[in-house]
Amino acid sequence: MYYFAELFVILTFFILPPIFSTTPSAGFIQFTFYQILIYGFLGIYCLIRGKNLVTENTFFSRENTKKISIKHLLALSIIILIFLFSNGYLWKIIAGLNQEKIQLQKSVFYQLFQIFGILVYAFYEETMYRYFLPTSIGKNLSIISKSENSPKWIFTLSEIIALLLFSFGHLYMGIFAVLNAFFAGIALRFLVWKTKSVFPSTIIHFIYNLVLYLSMFTKA
């Protein structure tokens, strides 16, 4: 019962609200102290729970048993980062979006605070969508199907559901943002799967969002 309650709370208060948001936006969240605090704690919680759930789900624990070398990690990370920018630029062209420039805030502290918020939020999204949700959904499906050894269909379905939740979590930014997030989510989940860690994907996610954030500004 605990697994159902945990997933229900996460879905109700953090995952579903952005999907059903009626406020369109094409920009970044302006982070507050309390938002950063909440996303930070939630990211840590998802990291810890994700690790526990991986050990409990036999299929997820077999995801990748080989350790990836530093050289291969760097090469794979660069490839995925290039893919993220190419993918984002492609959907931007298809959508015909012209990014609106906004005036740069004078306060350096404010900018550093927002950049820190982007880092925390990237960590939250990676631990939530690439680590906790796939394993938590898989665990609940295993309980429902009364299957102790998670079969391949549970693994596949849980990955698809987690990916769709991440993708449609960007619906408030438009349908092309959903498509962008869909392919980006596949690439980032692949990196987590290969490295068995959310930290490389968090760094790449942070770099991608940081570049987009900085590109929004024009000099005062």
Side-chain angles (χ1 to χ4, degrees):
M1 189 64 183
Y2 171 78
Y3 297 104
F4 291 105
E6 178 185 49
L7 184 60
F8 176 79
V9 170
I10 293 293
L11 289 173
T12 302
F13 292 100
F14 296 97
I15 305 301
L16 296 181
I19 295 178
F20 295 100
S21 174
T22 57
T23 305
S25 174
F28 278 85
I29 298 173
Q30 297 299 299
F31 294 101
T32 66
F33 172 79
Y34 294 105
Q35 286 176 321
I36 292 177
L37 195 64
I38 291 172
Y39 287 127
F41 276 115
L42 190 59
I44 294 173
Y45 177 82
C46 289
L47 178 64
I48 295 173
R49 288 296 296 140
K51 286 184 177 180
N52 294 335
L53 288 166
V54 164
T55 60
E56 296 175 11
N57 286 265
T58 55
F59 205 104
F60 285 94
S61 63
R62 298 196 304 266
E63 280 184 339
N64 177 31
T65 56
K66 295 181 180 179
K67 290 185 178 180
I68 187 171
S69 66
I70 298 297
K71 180 174 67 175
H72 290 160
L73 172 61
L74 290 175
L76 182 60
S77 299
I78 292 173
I79 291 172
I80 290 179
L81 188 59
I82 293 174
F83 172 78
L84 292 186
F85 281 110
S86 301
N87 178 58
Y89 185 68
L90 172 64
W91 292 113
K92 183 178 179 180
I93 292 177
I94 294 176
L97 295 177
N98 292 317
Q99 186 171 313
E100 183 179 350
K101 295 289 185 177
I102 60 177
Q103 185 170 308
L104 183 66
Q105 295 285 338
K106 294 181 179 181
S107 172
V108 175
F109 174 79
Y110 174 83
Q111 294 303 327
L112 293 176
F113 182 79
Q114 293 303 310
I115 290 174
F116 178 68
I118 293 173
L119 174 61
V120 172
Y121 194 71
F123 173 69
Y124 153 74
E125 286 198 313
E126 291 306 304
T127 56
M128 174 65 78
Y129 292 99
R130 249 67 72 183
Y131 206 48
F132 171 77
L133 279 182
T135 52
S136 178
I137 294 171
K139 179 66 176 181
N140 282 282
L141 288 176
S142 297
I143 295 174
I144 294 173
S145 64
K146 297 180 180 180
S147 175
E148 294 182 2
N149 297 319
S150 301
K152 189 173 182 180
W153 74 266
I154 288 181
F155 174 80
T156 303
L157 183 58
S158 60
E159 291 286 347
I160 292 174
I161 293 174
L163 176 61
L164 290 177
L165 289 173
F166 174 71
S167 302
F168 282 98
H170 295 74
L171 187 59
Y172 67 96
M173 298 173 66
I175 188 61
F176 290 105
V178 173
L179 295 172
N180 178 27
F182 178 82
F183 291 103
I186 293 175
L188 290 169
R189 177 59 179 133
F190 176 75
L191 182 61
V192 172
W193 180 79
K194 290 295 293 183
T195 62
K196 301 191 75 173
S197 172
V198 296
F199 294 107
S201 63
T202 295
I203 294 173
I204 290 178
H205 197 151
F206 166 67
I207 293 174
Y208 176 77
N209 284 348
L210 177 62
V211 172
L212 294 184
Y213 177 73
L214 295 177
S215 68
M216 292 170 56
F217 295 105
T218 182
K219 293 183 179 180

